[in-house]
Each structure stands twice: as structure tokens, then as C-alpha cells.
Amino acid sequence: MLIYMMYILYKSYRSFQVKKQVHPITLVGSSNYKKSFIMILFMVSLPFILGLDTNAKYGLLIVIVLINTLIDRVYLGDNGIKLSDEFIPKADIMSYYIVAGKVDQFELFVRGKENSVKITVHKRNVAESMEAVLAAWKPVS
């Protein structure tokens, strides 16, 4: 349990540092990138948290869920993109495409990554459509 908490704190610190590299932020969303590993760790630690005798376990659960949500956030900015606790510069993004039938979802193909990264956009800092924002951000190769 202690190892899990230290790991989550480390990931949240790294995530915050990486977010600084992205500025200014254009799109905010979530992705499927590295999500399963964090969820598995959370599910393994859940019985230990629920086994605590104090009411602090509810506060601990809320804090862990909040931190996991913040770590999972994706930020797309002028310098690159933040995925989990990794910064990916624009130069490493080979291409993207808008997912058919989805208004606010696109997939990125990143150099060195075997699978594409699916991103669902929650918030835009501009009034333009997502297609226009992505086209201005990184032209399709």
C-alpha cells in the first residue's frame, strides 16, 4: 500500500512537470494510454484501503481517484502533448486522424509506439472545430 501511494505521488509530480512543457494548452482530454496499469494497481490496493479501521479510508479513496484522474489527463499544446506522465514533442507525432462517427475523438500515431493513442477531447480553449485546431497544430503527414 505504501509503495502504491509513493508511486502515485511520483506519477503526479512527473505529470505536473510534464504539463509545464506543453504550454500554452489548446485541448484537454483523456486517453487510453497507460490507463490499464494504473487501474490494476488501484484495484490491487483497494482491499487494503477498505480494510483500514478509520474513516480516513474514504478520504484516501477520494484523493487517490482524484490524483488518478489528474494523471490521466491529456494536454495538447504548442510544444507537444502530455500523455500520462510523458511529454511527446510535436516532431515525434507522425500523424493523426479523427475517429469516424465521433465528434471529439482522434487517434495519434507516435514514433516509437506500437499502438495508436486514442484521445477524447473534453475542453477546447479556442472556439474552432477540433479538425481546425488539429490541422493548425500539426499538419497530417
Side-chain angles (χ1 to χ4, degrees), residues 46-58:
L46 191 60
F48 297 110
I49 294 170
L50 294 176
L52 294 174
D53 291 336
T54 66
N55 286 335
K57 66 182 168 188
Y58 301 113

Side-chain angles (χ1 to χ4, degrees), residues 17 19-21 25 33 41 53 95 102 104 128 141:
Q17 294 299 320
K19 181 181 172 187
K20 290 179 181 179
Q21 294 177 312
I25 296 170
Y33 187 70
L41 285 177
D53 291 336
S95 65
K102 303 285 184 174
D104 287 342
E128 300 175 28
S141 310

Side-chain angles (χ1 to χ4, degrees), residues 65-120:
V65 168
L66 181 64
I67 288 175
N68 282 336
T69 303
L70 293 175
I71 292 171
D72 184 44
R73 283 257 166 109
V74 172
Y75 296 98
L76 184 121
D78 287 350
N79 299 325
I81 191 165
K82 174 211 168 274
L83 293 171
S84 185
D85 64 338
E86 287 184 38
F87 174 74
I88 299 172
K90 274 188 185 182
D92 287 350
I93 297 179
M94 300 184 313
S95 65
Y96 68 88
Y97 73 91
I98 307 292
V99 175
K102 303 285 184 174
V103 177
D104 287 342
Q105 197 172 67
F106 64 97
E107 288 195 33
L108 292 175
F109 294 95
V110 180
R111 186 180 336 265
K113 306 282 185 215
E114 188 173 310
N115 299 326
S116 66
V117 178
K118 188 177 291 187
I119 297 173
T120 304

Side-chain angles (χ1 to χ4, degrees), residues 5 7-9 11-13 15 38 60-73:
M5 291 302 296
Y7 178 75
I8 289 298
L9 290 174
K11 294 286 275 185
S12 61
Y13 173 75
S15 178
I38 296 287
L60 186 59
L61 280 173
I62 291 170
V63 167
I64 288 173
V65 168
L66 181 64
I67 288 175
N68 282 336
T69 303
L70 293 175
I71 292 171
D72 184 44
R73 283 257 166 109

